[in-house]
Amino acid sequence: MSILVQSFTLKKYPAELSLTALICVMGVVEGAAVSLVMERDMGAWKIGFDSRLLAAAYSVSTCVFLNSLFQVSVG
């Protein structure tokens, strides 16, 4: 679904990198809002030097890898 929305948007707004950055920022804002509503205990948001840090680093590195893989295959 998001690929279709992006294709329609790129026809009207051809700056691909700034559009990608805008989509990523909006995803972060939406994800943060949903996360803050779902988990109200602020103690759960602390990342210590344990498996939580490893999980956060792994998820970020996986997202970066998949994003670069998608950009290479599409572009």
Side-chain angles (χ1 to χ4, degrees):
M1 180 71 176
S2 68
I3 302 277
L4 291 173
V5 172
Q6 287 179 11
S7 68
F8 291 129
T9 307
L10 280 174
K11 288 179 184 174
K12 294 186 184 257
Y13 188 77
E16 295 176 12
L17 290 178
S18 60
L19 179 62
T20 303
L22 178 64
I23 291 170
C24 289
V25 167
M26 292 308 295
V28 167
V29 169
E30 290 173 4
V34 169
S35 299
L36 288 172
V37 168
M38 297 299 286
E39 182 61 60
R40 295 183 184 197
D41 179 24
M42 289 297 147
W45 290 101
K46 288 197 279 185
I47 298 179
F49 196 71
D50 56 359
S51 63
R52 288 185 182 187
L53 178 63
L54 179 64
Y58 179 74
S59 66
V60 167
S61 65
T62 302
C63 288
V64 168
F65 172 73
L66 291 176
N67 188 25
S68 65
L69 183 68
F70 178 73
Q71 292 296 329
V72 168
S73 66
V74 170

